[in-house]
Amino acid sequence: SSVESKLVVSKNPLTEFINNFDHLLGYPHGCVEQTVSKAFPQLYFADFVKSAGIKNKIQLRDGDNEMNPNYNVREAIRKLQGMQLYNGGMSYWAGGYNESWWGSAYAAHFLLEAEKAGYDVDNNVLNRLLEYLNYKVNDKDLVKYRYYSAQESGGYAYIYKEYVPREVIYSLYVLSRAGRPNRPTMNYYKGKKHLLTTDATYLLAGAYSLIADRASFKELIPKEYVEYDQWQSTGGSFYSPTRNL
């Protein structure tokens, strides 16, 4: 008699995440990556809450407060637009001078979706940001990712393998989503699949799908997902096994 339980049965897959919804709500503090990560899910937060039927659990409010997802998104847009540097990229911190390539692609992705959702986005800021990404993807440098593998004799050994930076492929994906695909660079990396991480291969396939090139999409899409990263990165593209998947 001292224990209470509640069973929720629903056709809506969002029901699985009810207990996590309130963690998504809040003002977008932090660096460019943290700002976008906090604001991105709030684009459709009110719709999620309504669709999942959890309005009584989370009391959304109107006005300028962090219980209003629309306010949080507008503040994130305002903040990001103030973080743009002279070259079109986004600074890592507000008021900073160091650009973040991944953060710039992430911010562009968010601003595109925000505009599509009906929020006011400065087109000059977004255009310069997309121009920055289009310029950066022409850089053909590789980066060394570090992994460890089990040895027959026991223990682990570190191995290093060169890959295309994840920032490149994510930028190509965002450019395709913006309707500005960089086909020459996409085709260049399509011919170098051995230099792509598995998650980047999926993303490049997605970039082709967005421009209705189904043949290239089918050529690229892996038969299975293979994860090599055993830890998360606190810089660069901020990759982790969870994010990659």
Side-chain angles (χ1 to χ4, degrees), residues 181-195:
N182 186 321
R183 287 297 295 259
T185 305
M186 290 169 63
N187 291 338
Y188 174 82
Y189 287 116
K190 184 177 71 170
K192 296 184 178 295
K193 287 194 293 185
H194 63 288
L195 295 177

Side-chain angles (χ1 to χ4, degrees), residues 9-245:
V9 180
S10 173
K11 295 180 180 179
N12 193 321
L14 294 175
T15 305
E16 180 181 356
F17 305 106
I18 285 177
N19 291 331
N20 303 107
F21 267 63
D22 49 359
H23 296 299
L24 298 177
L25 194 62
Y27 187 85
H29 296 286
C31 65
V32 62
E33 186 273 332
Q34 292 166 329
T35 297
V36 176
S37 291
K38 191 66 175 178
F40 216 145
Q42 295 188 75
L43 283 174
Y44 304 103
F45 191 89
D47 293 337
F48 287 166
V49 169
K50 181 179 179 181
S51 178
I54 54 176
K55 288 184 287 186
N56 294 331
K57 176 177 172 59
I58 301 176
Q59 297 297 326
L60 302 182
R61 299 176 185 171
D62 296 324
D64 296 348
N65 64 83
E66 66 175 28
M67 294 305 292
N68 180 357
N70 292 325
Y71 168 74
N72 295 329
V73 170
R74 290 196 303 269
E75 283 295 288
I77 294 171
R78 180 191 61 79
K79 181 179 176 182
L80 290 170
Q81 291 178 164
M83 294 171 73
Q84 190 166 44
L85 298 173
Y86 70 94
N87 63 356
M90 291 288 175
S91 63
Y92 188 74
W93 290 102
Y97 299 98
N98 296 320
E99 65 188 76
S100 169
W101 183 356
W102 178 272
S104 298
Y106 198 23
H109 192 179
F110 166 72
L111 292 175
L112 286 167
E113 293 300 311
E115 186 176 56
K116 188 172 74 173
Y119 290 90
D120 290 330
V121 175
D122 188 326
N123 285 329
N124 181 54
V125 170
L126 186 54
N127 286 334
R128 290 178 58 217
L129 189 52
L130 294 172
E131 288 171 2
Y132 165 83
L133 297 181
N134 195 50
Y135 168 77
K136 291 289 288 183
V137 296
N138 292 318
D139 191 353
K140 300 299 192 296
D141 290 340
L142 300 176
V143 294
K144 282 187 177 181
Y145 287 105
R146 185 181 68 169
Y147 311 102
Y148 63 84
S149 62
Q151 303 296 297
E152 291 184 4
S153 57
Y156 293 90
Y158 286 114
I159 58 174
Y160 293 86
K161 187 171 181 181
E162 287 192 322
Y163 283 114
V164 177
R166 286 179 164 96
E167 293 91 328
V168 175
I169 307 303
Y170 186 30
S171 296
L172 290 172
Y173 175 84
V174 172
L175 287 168
S176 286
R177 179 161 286 279
R180 302 185 186 184
N182 186 321
R183 287 297 295 259
T185 305
M186 290 169 63
N187 291 338
Y188 174 82
Y189 287 116
K190 184 177 71 170
K192 296 184 178 295
K193 287 194 293 185
H194 63 288
L195 295 177
L196 300 179
T197 59
T198 309
D199 55 294
T201 307
Y202 277 101
L203 207 54
L204 183 58
Y208 276 106
S209 181
L210 286 169
I211 60 173
D213 186 343
R214 298 294 295 176
S216 294
F217 168 80
K218 291 180 179 179
E219 178 183 340
L220 277 167
I221 201 76
K223 290 184 172 60
E224 62 178 344
Y225 180 82
V226 179
E227 179 60 76
Y228 296 103
D229 295 316
Q230 283 85 22
W231 51 76
Q232 61 187 31
S233 172
T234 56
S237 65
F238 305 103
Y239 62 86
S240 70
T242 302
R243 212 283 305 282
N244 297 346
L245 181 58

